[in-house]
Amino acid sequence: MNWNKWFRQTHRWLSVVFTVAVIVNGVAVAWGKYTSRLGLLAVFPMALLLFTGLYLFVLPYAAKWRSGRRPG
């Protein structure tokens, strides 16, 4: 598995983990059992999503830059 596929797959699974963490936070708020530690449950996957998402965003531009093609 090359790096691009690995990053893409990791980003997908992190989005699932983040979604579950947000749902858990919502349920905790609704039940009145919210704590700051529980709030941090969603921050870690969100930070990793930021880095993998930025990598995936820059990937097509980096490929153009490496190939030497310039727009226009």
Side-chain angles (χ1 to χ4, degrees):
M1 184 183 281
N2 64 16
W3 280 101
N4 297 342
K5 283 186 176 182
W6 185 83
F7 265 94
R8 207 170 296 276
Q9 192 68 28
T10 302
H11 189 76
R12 286 182 188 139
W13 279 108
L14 282 172
S15 67
V16 171
V17 171
F18 175 70
T19 303
V20 169
V22 168
I23 290 169
V24 167
N25 275 300
V27 169
V29 168
W31 286 352
K33 305 268 186 188
Y34 182 78
T35 64
S36 59
R37 282 188 183 176
L38 189 60
L40 291 176
L41 183 68
V43 172
F44 183 65
M46 185 170 38
L48 293 175
L49 275 171
L50 172 70
F51 293 121
T52 57
L54 286 174
Y55 174 81
L56 292 173
F57 178 77
V58 172
L59 197 59
Y61 300 107
K64 284 182 189 177
W65 178 73
R66 281 189 305 223
S67 70
R69 292 187 300 164
R70 297 286 182 233

